[in-house]
Amino acid sequence: MKKTLVVLLALMMVFAFATTAMAADEQYVPYADIADQDVDIQTAIERLTILGALTGYDTEGTKFAPSQLITREEFATIGVRIAGMEDQVALYASMASAFTDVEEGRWSEGYINAANANGIMIGRGNGVFDPKANVTMQEVATVLLRAVGYDDRLPGAWPSDYNTKAVNVGLTEYVDYIGPKAATRAEVASLANEALDLNMVEYVGNPSVEEFDGQLGRTMAYEEFRTFHDLT
């Protein structure tokens, strides 16, 4: 990915999420079921809700269900929003799915297609996405890291490559990270919240250097949102 494109993507995400954040904040109601969560988890849940990446788990939007597991199709939706690609969903929903188990008209079809086409969340092989399966923590970390520019040129084989990078960049700071474990909504909120503050990266490859350059600026420019929201 060219540096100019990465920077442009970062700017697009800033503007897209700033608009979403302002709109969501006007309707935001604190969740009634997260008081027993660590304060860092509560902050992550509230921030992701304000930014429009997460929503409540009941029709009134007053319960978050922090211990509820998240499916792969639910996380495809979150991943697309985190990556600032929601404006592509309608277009991708009109296209044929690459997966035999994602039928036309399925509520998540556009998100899954967008995530797959942009290389942030792929299937499980043999044309299967497995949308109803629980997403694992290492799958969550993989998608979030891909959203900020990392890819399979990370050293090592999957999932150890993404697991190692997730720990090294601080995604896992506030969760008990066990890669193969099914991820809860609270854990996803925490991992995603940390991803928002990562620098965008691009791959730098030559005969002597094979690494990712992380000096391209913040993904979501959190300071921009603090203008509108009193978040700490």
Side-chain angles (χ1 to χ4, degrees), residues 188-211:
V188 166
S190 181
L191 293 167
N193 187 51
E194 297 307 306
L196 292 181
D197 289 326
L198 293 180
N199 284 334
M200 293 296 295
V201 301
E202 67 176 346
Y203 185 75
V204 180
N206 61 49
S208 60
V209 178
E210 290 189 357
E211 60 185 12

Side-chain angles (χ1 to χ4, degrees), residues 102-202:
V102 180
E103 66 273 15
E104 182 178 354
R106 189 180 186 88
W107 71 268
S108 58
E109 181 186 14
Y111 289 96
I112 292 172
N113 288 350
N116 181 63
N118 285 278
I120 65 169
M121 188 172 186
I122 58 178
R124 287 185 162 172
N126 299 318
V128 172
F129 186 81
D130 209 2
K132 295 182 179 180
N134 294 328
V135 71
T136 65
M137 297 184 81
Q138 60 200 21
E139 288 173 334
V140 170
T142 298
V143 172
L144 294 174
L145 290 171
R146 285 173 176 163
V148 300
Y150 291 103
D151 59 34
D152 293 349
R153 287 171 292 193
L154 285 169
W158 191 87
S160 62
D161 50 354
Y162 284 94
N163 284 337
T164 299
K165 181 59 66 174
V167 173
N168 288 344
V169 300
L171 285 192
T172 64
E173 183 173 358
Y174 299 111
V175 298
D176 182 14
Y177 187 80
I178 303 172
K181 173 184 172 294
T184 66
R185 285 169 55 83
E187 290 166 339
V188 166
S190 181
L191 293 167
N193 187 51
E194 297 307 306
L196 292 181
D197 289 326
L198 293 180
N199 284 334
M200 293 296 295
V201 301
E202 67 176 346

Side-chain angles (χ1 to χ4, degrees), residues 32-139:
D33 58 351
I34 64 172
D36 61 342
Q37 301 291 311
D38 290 343
V39 65
D40 295 305
I41 300 292
Q42 291 184 47
T43 299
I45 291 170
E46 291 170 358
R47 181 186 178 195
L48 270 292
T49 299
I50 289 171
L51 298 185
L54 291 174
T55 59
Y57 206 70
D58 59 346
T59 55
E60 292 78 20
T62 58
K63 293 183 179 180
F64 184 74
S67 299
Q68 179 70 34
L69 301 179
I70 285 186
T71 65
R72 282 174 52 82
E73 64 183 337
E74 288 172 336
F75 187 68
T77 301
I78 296 167
V80 165
R81 290 170 177 167
I82 291 291
M85 300 186 303
E86 189 154 21
D87 60 342
Q88 303 178 25
V89 170
L91 173 63
Y92 280 108
S94 67
M95 299 179 179
S97 175
F99 304 105
T100 58
D101 56 350
V102 180
E103 66 273 15
E104 182 178 354
R106 189 180 186 88
W107 71 268
S108 58
E109 181 186 14
Y111 289 96
I112 292 172
N113 288 350
N116 181 63
N118 285 278
I120 65 169
M121 188 172 186
I122 58 178
R124 287 185 162 172
N126 299 318
V128 172
F129 186 81
D130 209 2
K132 295 182 179 180
N134 294 328
V135 71
T136 65
M137 297 184 81
Q138 60 200 21
E139 288 173 334

